[in-house]
Amino acid sequence: MTVREELEQQEHKRLNPLAAFADQSRGRPRPEPPREEDVRTCYQRDIDRIVHSKAFRRLMHKTQVFLQPEGDHYRTRMTHTLEVSRIAGTITRALGLNEDLAEAIAMGHDLGHTPFGHAGEDALSKCLGKPFRHNEQSLRVVDILEKDGQGLNLTYEVRMGILGHTGETWPETLEGQVVRRSDQIAYVNHDIDDAIRAGILTDDDIPSAITDILGHNHRDRINTLVCDAIRTSREAGAICLSPGVDKALRDLRAFMFTHVYRNPVAKGEESKAKDMLQRLFEYYIAHPEALPEDFQPQLSFDGMERTVCDYIAGMTDNYAVEKFREIFIPMGWQVHG
């Protein structure tokens, strides 16, 4: 018996019957025969494939809310991803669900995010003439774009969890539903933390009708939401919050949209970012030969717009600025003599 098979047997002994068991996975788009030296379950293997991907490494240089903030302690897509993973791990562990599956989904859920956060999403939606959705792009990254067009060949459960972490598609597994809820818990609360750091919000600004339920500081709010999710989900047999806490979270999200996500301080540079990405899109449409060599083959089967969109969506904030500067800003004369 391989180590992998031992781990799979252990899952059946210790996990909730409602968990997604690794040996019952619906498999990968391209079947992979088991190896004698397997020491990882399929979901553990998926975690490693995601963490070792180029798209994952780029998350550390992609904006969360504040565009190119000056300061070392603002969240990036990378730190957001890690926070979602930890929250999801706590909830799945307490519910007896598959932590490996939840971690894989959490690690991959934002791989398709554009530079400059949702401003980049808006810019590409305008360029394409249809909605650009980062959850769909995340699935495209793991299915197609990584490994020079081969994709990561992840399991069905991880792929559908990534797609369903937001939007209309709902994850089939409870682990995927935990990640979806953990994403909401993480981003609302850490965005408050960043807004306070930026000086555009204080804890006292949040309505008492919300804080009296969720808590008056970052730690207490996270604790309330996580504990409530565990307790309520155990009783319901589904991933959910109690009605009062769920309403408070929705009210907090609405408050954040009004006071932070649309705040001129947080969004002051957003119009510039959108314009920059739109101009880059137009440039590469007109000059496809300027696309990197590894994107050239894609032009023949995905077409111009899709290929340019994939290239720009994968950029980090700094790389997008650098490409814009390189293409549109005149270089200073270099005087020799």
Side-chain angles (χ1 to χ4, degrees):
M1 181 182 294
T2 66
V3 173
R4 173 186 56 80
E5 289 170 331
E6 290 178 7
L7 293 173
E8 290 170 349
Q9 285 192 2
Q10 290 171 18
E11 284 186 354
H12 284 279
K13 293 177 181 178
R14 63 183 176 83
L15 295 185
N16 189 315
L18 297 176
F21 296 99
D23 62 356
Q24 295 176 359
S25 169
R26 291 177 58 173
R28 306 180 184 278
R30 299 186 302 277
E32 297 178 8
R35 307 174 187 176
E36 287 187 13
E37 71 277 13
D38 272 354
V39 295
R40 293 170 292 174
T41 68
C42 58
Y43 300 142
Q44 291 170 345
R45 189 177 293 275
D46 283 356
I47 296 169
D48 293 337
R49 290 182 181 185
I50 292 168
V51 170
H52 287 92
S53 70
K54 292 187 291 185
F56 185 82
R57 294 195 292 275
R58 290 196 298 269
L59 293 177
M60 68 187 295
H61 297 298
K62 290 196 176 191
T63 289
Q64 181 66 23
V65 172
F66 295 86
L67 304 190
Q68 293 192 301
E70 294 183 6
D72 293 336
H73 300 123
Y74 288 92
R75 267 73 171 192
T76 65
R77 288 287 163 200
M78 174 74 80
T79 55
H80 163 72
T81 292
L82 296 176
E83 290 183 31
V84 172
S85 179
R86 295 311 304 151
I87 291 172
T90 298
I91 296 173
T92 49
R93 190 182 313 114
L95 296 177
L97 300 176
N98 197 316
E99 292 179 57
D100 294 328
L101 174 56
E103 184 176 357
I105 295 169
M107 289 299 188
H109 82 283
D110 268 357
L111 293 180
H113 248 298
T114 61
F116 306 112
H118 291 285
E121 246 181 313
D122 292 343
L124 288 181
S125 294
K126 185 174 181 180
C127 292
L128 294 171
K130 60 182 180 181
F132 175 95
R133 298 184 176 94
H134 75 270
N135 57 321
E136 295 173 358
Q137 187 70 12
S138 295
L139 182 60
R140 183 170 172 79
V141 167
V142 300
D143 276 358
I144 300 171
L145 300 180
E146 272 294 320
K147 296 187 70 176
D148 299 322
Q150 298 179 58
L152 301 179
N153 201 32
L154 304 181
T155 55
Y156 174 87
E157 293 78 13
V158 173
R159 294 171 57 248
M160 291 303 100
I162 288 172
L163 179 64
H165 84 270
T166 188
E168 296 180 1
T169 302
W170 201 263
E172 298 170 26
T173 63
L174 292 179
E175 290 82 356
Q177 294 170 31
V178 167
V179 173
R180 185 176 175 119
R181 179 62 77 181
S182 299
D183 186 35
Q184 297 169 350
I185 293 172
Y187 79 71
V188 169
N189 283 285
H190 64 48
D191 291 349
I192 292 173
D193 201 34
D194 282 353
I196 291 173
R197 181 169 288 107
I200 64 174
L201 196 68
T202 69
D203 274 321
D204 293 336
D205 293 328
I206 305 171
S208 59
I210 296 173
T211 57
D212 286 347
I213 294 173
L214 299 183
H216 296 273
N217 57 57
H218 179 79
R219 175 184 177 277
D220 289 346
R221 283 188 291 269
I222 294 284
N223 188 65
T224 296
L225 287 160
V226 169
C227 291
D228 186 83
I230 292 168
R231 181 172 56 252
T232 309
S233 298
R234 275 181 168 174
E235 295 171 357
I239 307 306
C240 54
L241 295 170
S242 63
V245 170
D246 187 51
K247 182 181 184 302
L249 179 59
R250 284 187 279 110
D251 290 345
L252 180 57
R253 186 171 181 269
F255 170 84
M256 291 294 289
F257 265 96
T258 301
H259 293 84
V260 176
Y261 302 140
R262 298 192 184 104
N263 185 285
V265 175
K267 299 287 131 178
E269 301 296 293
E270 195 169 271
S271 62
K272 297 179 185 178
K274 290 179 181 179
D275 181 63
M276 181 172 63
L277 294 184
Q278 288 168 15
R279 290 184 65 185
L280 284 172
F281 187 92
E282 292 165 0
Y283 176 84
Y284 286 112
I285 289 291
H287 302 88
E289 72 281 357
L291 287 167
E293 187 176 337
D294 52 340
F295 279 86
Q296 294 296 328
Q298 188 181 337
L299 289 168
S300 62
F301 55 85
D302 270 336
M304 193 86 70
E305 284 195 349
R306 183 72 256 176
T307 303
V308 172
C309 177
D310 287 340
Y311 177 45
I312 292 176
M315 292 180 175
T316 63
D317 295 20
N318 288 336
Y319 184 79
V321 171
E322 185 56 39
K323 295 309 291 184
F324 183 85
R325 182 181 293 119
E326 177 186 307
I327 294 168
F328 295 108
I329 307 299
M331 298 292 289
W333 288 100
Q334 191 170 19
V335 179
H336 298 277

